Amino acid sequence: MNTGASNFVEGVDLAFWVTIGISVVFLIGITTVIIVFLFKYNKNRHPKPVDVKDNYTLEIIWTVIPTIIFLLMFYYGFIGYVPMREVPSGALEVKVTGMMWSWFFEYENGKKSNVLIVPKDKPVRLNLYSPDILHSFYVPAFRVKEDVVPKVDNYMWFTATLIGDYDILCAEYCGERHSYMISKVVVKDERNFLEWYTSEEKDIHMELTSVGFQVSQEYGCLGCHSSDGSKMYGPTFKGLYQSKRTVFLENDEKKDVAADEGYLTRAMLEPNAEVVQGYTKGSMPSYKGSMTDEEVEQVIEYIKSLDEK
Amino acid sequence: MSEVTHHKSFLENSEGKNVVLSWLFSTDHKRIGLIYLYLIGIFFIVAVFFGFLMRLELIAPGKDIMDPQLYNGLFTVHGVIMIFLFIIPGIPAVFGNLMLPIMIGAKDVAFPRLNLLSLWIYIIGAMLALTTLMGADKLPDTGWTFYAPYSIKSNTYVMQAVLAAFILGFSSILTGLNFITTIHWLRAPGMSWFKMPLFSWALYATAWIQLLATPVVGITLLMIAAERYLGIGLFDPSLGGDPILYQHLFWIYSHPAVYIMVLPAMGIVSEILPVFARRRIFGYNAMAVTSLAIAFIGYLVWGHHMFTSGMSGPARIIFSFLTFLVAVPSAIKVFNWVTTLYKGSIDLKPPMLYVLAFIFNFMIGGLTGLVNGALATDVHVHDTYFIVGHFHYVMFGGTGFSFFAAMYYWFPKIYGRMYDIKWANIGFWIIFVGFNILYFPMFIVGMMGMPRRYYDYLPEFHWPNIVSTVGSWILIVGIVIMLVNIIRGSMKGPKVGQNPWRGLTLEWQTQTPPITENFEQIPSVTERPYEYKD
């Protein structure tokens, strides 16, 4: 019976308990011997030490036995690991983008999501992509992890075996908001998965809010701009629309502006033209050429929507 | 030298110069060692304080006392100071300098002025490292590993930290060179290789790593500088570089560096155990040879830091295999230490308590290392708190405890005074208990999946973090007790005779504290170092 959430849980946990089991036996055994010696040969009970000659037979025995045990541990670790690098053919391929500080998933049919939705009992191959620095894709419940390295085609795979939601964490330190680079794997049965996968709705995962949110997520806006009023790298989106801002122009001149549509568009396409007081010039990249006009509008709609609720 | 100065100890004998200058520019290995001890002690306390702040932040999820940027800065400088200023120089620079020449019957190291240069390079490197502390929002935030490409992009004081590590490397290289030469050329008449104390063997193996591995990290750190300032694309993919290359170069040094940290600690354990068990060390030859074996195999296992990095499958398997091989000599050492207690006459003085705690902590650190060495299990625990627990058990529970053991052991030799034994014992138990409460929960929370270098965490990781933080308070109470006792003892402790522990190695066969040239007359050696027969 496989009780783990993925096909790897059994092998990893077996290797784990074999190693830990042997280790605990050794730790308790040796510690007990030490404590017995400390009592028995304490200077008060045993004032006269006895000279003990070196014993090569004994030394060879305790060289050979640990060697065999260590090789056994290596073997279990190896056996549990080999399948992790052998992706079965016909696996569902998903492109995973890990960026400062969010995850994004694209399927073969063009479907996009910010949570990883996978069918139960079907192998999934993740092709890992990073546009910026190192990250590491980690699903503790699945016992899988692989670094996301810019310009390197890393991959990993798994078969989810239990329906449910599981945390995705970033395990390779990636700067200020490393510990907030979180998402979820949602495991659905095949029918529910296909229903979602083949639905016509463009890019949208039903559990999420608006298209604008999707776009913000896709371009990593939410890595630096919060939607709840808290201060992150950049100013928050909440209460931003139509607010009064003091900005510095490119010639370092101060100016008061209102955050209308025009301002917000400029902020995305030419972020250094007007830098809000209290934030560093150059920390935001320009999205000119990468975001379409439609997408810019969608983000603005999303920013507006935050103040409606 | 006149008749009078012959009997002045090295502490008093300033050879007619200004007292302050005579310390700062002394080429006496013992004075150099003591200056290292004071500096390293201060840096240790600073880094412990940063660790304390980090644990406080982690007591509950969400923001507690600081912002993420400051937290990331603190764990970086905690690591940089602990690794480059405390634990790498640690035992060789302090106790190697203080004791190695006396233990092999020499007047000083082979190149005393080079030794002074090492100290000054260390001071310059340390000052540069401390400049990174100016400005809380500019603390380097890459982690002590300086992984590219983040270390290329971060606009904090990364360069100062990198250059400091580069400069400190030279101090380490020169000390290694000095020790190798000293051991080869300056042993007292009759002291053959296999009559040397095991601490010298350990320093000898360590010195080779210092000499051969440190230049690699020096070059690597310079490459980071070249990339940051000149835009040469070595590691940053956006300039056409390869971030995995950085990891290889970094760990080719930094894994052997782990043995720079732990081998001298093992030497100290082998030195102290026989004295307080009143017995010859069991398996002397094996102890000497395993030190060399660890140093050698330790060069070939760096890839186990990169099991999830995207290295090729066969490389991962070979590195895992070699990692298990390096565990064998460590296991042999543990068995030999335990057998040394057999039929001895054991006296549980403070140095002995720390040494026994070393063996216990090192077993936990070493055995959990097997989990990291096995591929399937490492994939799960890699870069989690399991690793943080593992290396603190080896580095602090092992090397740190051994550093304390050495301090308590050689303290009367250095100062000619004794600390308060009762308070040393009380301090030991508080440190030992606090240490385990602080670091053991990290294994549990790591197995649950909490990644390392996490400012904030999911609610299910909460309880082990509370336990850890409480442990950090207990540990710090113990450290304070220890420091007060040591400082008080060095100034007001009762005077001791020449050989309070009845040790047989050469450092106990000369005046306490030793004279500047160590011996009135160079001794000649006829026996192995641990022939206790009382």
Side-chain angles (χ1 to χ4, degrees):
Chain A
M1 276 297 283
N2 191 350
T3 51
S6 87
N7 57 320
F8 295 125
V9 173
E10 209 175 1
V12 170
D13 287 6
L14 175 68
F16 194 85
W17 292 117
V18 167
T19 315
I20 289 286
I22 295 172
S23 300
V24 167
V25 169
F26 266 83
L27 179 68
I28 293 178
I30 295 171
T31 309
T32 310
V33 171
I34 293 176
I35 291 172
V36 168
F37 283 176
L38 291 187
F39 274 96
K40 204 168 166 194
Y41 303 118
N42 185 285
K43 65 171 179 179
N44 299 324
R45 272 181 217 93
H46 197 254
K48 193 99 185 100
V50 179
D51 194 33
V52 180
K53 290 270 176 283
D54 281 1
N55 183 331
Y56 286 114
T57 322
L58 195 59
E59 290 191 63
I60 288 167
I61 290 173
W62 71 41
T63 307
V64 172
I65 289 178
T67 308
I68 293 170
I69 292 173
F70 291 154
L71 291 180
L72 193 73
M73 290 174 173
F74 164 73
Y75 174 77
Y76 274 98
F78 172 67
I79 288 301
Y81 171 76
V82 167
M84 291 185 188
R85 304 315 296 163
E86 291 168 356
V87 189
S89 57
L92 174 75
E93 294 215 18
V94 183
K95 179 185 175 193
V96 177
T97 303
M99 59 195 151
M100 290 161 99
W101 292 281
S102 57
W103 297 103
F104 189 72
F105 306 95
E106 279 175 272
Y107 294 77
E108 280 169 306
N109 69 350
K111 197 98 183 148
K112 295 172 181 175
S113 174
N114 68 331
V115 290
L116 176 60
I117 298 170
V118 296
K120 178 173 175 285
D121 295 330
K122 189 169 172 3
V124 178
R125 177 189 164 116
L126 304 180
N127 297 314
L128 306 170
Y129 167 76
S130 162
D132 44 41
I133 60 168
L134 302 177
H135 305 280
S136 190
F137 185 92
Y138 180 30
V139 183
F142 291 179
R143 311 285 190 270
V144 291
K145 179 186 291 135
E146 184 79 8
D147 291 1
V148 185
V149 183
K151 297 270 169 74
V152 178
D153 296 325
N154 278 359
Y155 68 92
M156 63 201 290
W157 80 278
F158 59 82
T159 302
T161 49
L162 285 177
I163 288 177
D165 293 4
Y166 306 96
D167 293 313
I168 298 171
L169 307 170
C170 176
E172 183 65 62
Y173 173 70
C174 58
E176 182 172 359
R177 296 189 59 80
H178 164 55
S179 62
Y180 296 102
M181 190 169 161
I182 298 175
S183 182
K184 277 198 186 304
V185 190
V186 178
V187 183
K188 296 179 180 258
D189 64 32
E190 182 136 21
R191 200 173 57 84
N192 284 336
F193 173 77
L194 282 175
E195 200 176 299
W196 171 80
Y197 191 60
T198 54
S199 66
E200 284 303 309
E201 295 161 84
K202 188 178 168 257
D203 296 359
I204 307 166
H205 171 228
M206 278 100 56
E207 291 157 31
L208 298 170
T209 51
S210 64
V211 189
F213 176 81
Q214 280 287 303
V215 176
S216 308
Q217 185 79 31
E218 186 178 340
Y219 286 100
C221 311
L222 302 178
C224 300
H225 302 280
S226 77
S227 56
D228 61 358
S230 59
K231 185 184 164 175
M232 287 162 56
Y233 239 48
T236 180
F237 280 173
K238 192 177 173 64
L240 170 60
Y241 183 62
Q242 293 298 17
S243 65
K244 292 270 175 286
R245 331 277 296 165
T246 305
V247 297
F248 287 96
L249 301 178
E250 279 187 291
N251 54 5
D252 284 335
E253 204 173 290
K254 247 192 199 180
K255 190 184 168 193
D256 288 322
V257 295
D260 55 12
E261 278 87 351
Y263 166 83
L264 291 173
T265 307
R266 283 198 303 282
M268 281 178 255
L269 302 183
E270 296 165 60
N272 291 326
E274 293 163 316
V275 180
V276 182
Q277 189 166 26
Y279 295 90
T280 321
K281 190 174 186 172
S283 38
M284 176 164 158
S286 165
Y287 287 87
K288 201 177 212 163
S290 53
M291 284 173 94
T292 63
D293 292 350
E294 192 192 356
E295 285 170 326
V296 170
E297 269 169 42
Q298 286 162 341
V299 172
I300 295 174
E301 285 309 310
Y302 168 63
I303 294 173
K304 286 182 183 174
S305 74
L306 290 171
D307 300 330
E308 285 161 9
K309 290 168 212 158
Chain B
M1 207 174 286
S2 72
E3 277 301 314
V4 186
T5 54
H6 259 262
H7 299 284
K8 263 192 185 173
S9 81
F10 78 101
L11 293 171
E12 298 149 351
N13 178 18
S14 297
E15 293 172 325
K17 294 177 200 142
N18 173 300
V19 176
V20 175
L21 293 181
S22 75
W23 276 86
L24 288 180
F25 297 103
S26 171
T27 54
D28 178 3
H29 64 98
K30 300 177 289 302
R31 286 193 163 195
I32 288 174
L34 264 188
I35 295 174
Y36 272 122
L37 176 65
Y38 300 143
L39 291 175
I40 282 172
I42 292 167
F43 297 138
F44 174 72
I45 294 164
V46 170
V48 164
F49 178 67
F50 292 158
F52 163 76
L53 291 179
M54 283 153 61
R55 279 312 329 163
L56 212 53
E57 172 56 43
L58 290 175
I59 195 168
K63 178 181 169 168
D64 299 307
I65 56 165
M66 63 180 87
D67 288 324
Q69 188 61 35
L70 179 58
Y71 179 83
N72 296 341
L74 281 183
F75 77 64
T76 302
V77 290
H78 170 82
V80 168
I81 295 178
M82 282 295 193
I83 299 279
F84 294 109
L85 294 181
F86 170 63
I87 209 154
I88 286 183
I91 294 174
V94 177
F95 297 108
N97 263 318
L98 277 167
M99 292 301 156
L100 173 69
I102 320 187
M103 290 176 94
I104 62 170
K107 286 181 181 174
D108 204 324
V109 292
F111 308 115
R113 276 177 294 191
L114 196 64
N115 204 17
L116 181 63
L117 182 65
S118 299
L119 172 67
W120 278 99
I121 293 174
Y122 174 82
I123 292 173
I124 292 166
M127 288 195 305
L128 188 58
L130 294 183
T131 62
T132 63
L133 301 180
M134 295 188 298
D137 55 339
K138 283 289 185 188
L139 292 178
D141 65 342
T142 58
W144 77 276
T145 46
F146 306 120
Y147 265 20
Y150 189 60
S151 56
I152 313 292
K153 296 183 187 233
S154 170
N155 58 0
T156 54
Y157 293 150
V158 175
M159 260 345 283
Q160 283 92 324
V162 165
L163 287 178
F166 174 75
I167 291 170
L168 289 164
F170 283 95
S171 170
S172 193
I173 293 169
L174 295 180
T175 302
L177 177 75
N178 224 333
F179 285 0
I180 291 173
T181 320
T182 308
I183 291 170
H184 270 275
W185 289 103
L186 298 185
R187 279 171 288 129
M191 182 173 281
S192 61
W193 282 89
F194 284 87
K195 283 187 185 137
M196 279 202 312
L198 286 168
F199 184 50
S200 342
W201 268 108
L203 287 173
Y204 181 71
T206 309
W208 277 111
I209 312 179
Q210 290 176 301
L211 191 64
L212 296 181
T214 317
V216 181
V217 80
I219 291 165
T220 312
L221 296 173
L222 276 192
M223 285 161 89
I224 289 213
E227 189 147 11
R228 278 183 75 105
Y229 289 138
L230 309 175
I232 299 172
L234 297 163
F235 306 128
D236 185 351
S238 61
L239 299 171
D242 180 2
I244 307 286
L245 174 67
Y246 175 82
Q247 296 180 23
H248 277 293
L249 289 173
F250 181 80
W251 288 115
I252 284 172
Y253 164 72
S254 296
H255 194 79
V258 170
Y259 299 104
I260 296 182
M261 307 175 206
V262 84
L263 272 173
M266 291 169 155
I268 281 169
V269 173
S270 306
E271 210 55 54
I272 292 178
L273 265 181
V275 180
F276 294 92
R278 309 307 304 160
R279 249 212 57 194
R280 177 217 318 248
I281 189 112
F282 188 83
Y284 173 97
N285 295 349
M287 287 308 223
V289 173
T290 48
S291 289
L292 295 178
I294 290 172
F296 177 71
I297 308 173
Y299 271 104
L300 308 175
V301 300
W302 78 86
H304 69 212
H305 295 268
M306 302 166 60
F307 283 162
T308 68
S309 69
M311 192 166 61
S312 77
R316 298 185 206 204
I317 291 161
I318 291 164
F319 278 122
S320 169
F321 179 76
L322 290 169
T323 302
F324 278 97
L325 283 191
V326 82
V328 175
S330 302
I332 296 171
K333 280 187 187 286
V334 170
F335 295 135
N336 282 356
W337 288 326
V338 173
T339 313
T340 301
L341 298 172
Y342 176 64
K343 291 194 176 174
S345 176
I346 298 163
D347 189 1
L348 286 177
K349 286 284 189 317
M352 185 66 162
L353 287 175
Y354 277 100
V355 158
L356 293 168
F358 169 100
I359 298 176
F360 179 78
N361 296 336
F362 181 74
M363 279 197 290
I364 296 181
L367 291 167
T368 52
L370 300 172
V371 175
N372 306 331
L375 285 167
T377 46
D378 181 72
V379 168
H380 177 47
V381 297
H382 196 90
D383 273 327
T384 67
Y385 257 84
F386 194 90
I387 305 295
V388 182
H390 159 71
F391 70 67
H392 279 95
Y393 261 90
V394 181
M395 294 292 104
F396 189 0
T399 308
F401 272 61
S402 160
F403 190 93
F404 301 155
M407 197 163 65
Y408 279 124
Y409 177 57
W410 282 311
F411 182 95
K413 184 74 219 172
I414 298 164
Y415 294 103
R417 293 175 185 275
M418 189 58 92
Y419 45 84
D420 186 309
I421 301 263
K422 196 183 92 194
W423 277 104
N425 288 339
I426 294 170
F428 164 78
W429 284 107
I430 297 174
I431 287 176
F432 181 66
V433 170
F435 171 84
N436 280 286
I437 295 176
L438 167 55
Y439 294 110
F440 199 82
M442 292 184 180
F443 293 125
I444 298 165
V445 82
M447 279 159 60
M448 290 161 71
M450 178 170 163
R452 63 193 285 202
R453 296 172 170 175
Y454 247 36
Y455 163 76
D456 196 357
Y457 50 82
L458 300 169
E460 62 257 39
F461 302 139
H462 192 184
W463 73 264
N465 276 295
I466 301 180
V467 178
S468 269
T469 300
V470 171
S472 73
W473 301 335
I474 300 173
L475 178 61
I476 286 173
V477 169
I479 291 175
V480 170
I481 291 176
M482 176 175 73
L483 286 174
V484 171
N485 190 11
I486 287 283
I487 293 168
R488 212 182 158 276
S490 68
M491 294 187 292
K492 296 188 188 153
K495 298 224 167 182
V496 292
Q498 179 177 310
N499 192 355
W501 311 125
R502 296 180 295 145
L504 289 186
T505 38
L506 286 181
E507 79 272 27
W508 299 107
Q509 316 313 321
T510 180
Q511 182 189 308
T512 294
I515 57 171
T516 301
E517 299 205 318
N518 298 341
F519 301 96
E520 305 279 349
Q521 188 176 1
I522 291 299
S524 49
V525 179
T526 52
E527 275 192 317
R528 284 192 158 196
Y530 310 109
E531 303 293 325
Y532 292 95
K533 294 193 178 95
D534 55 331

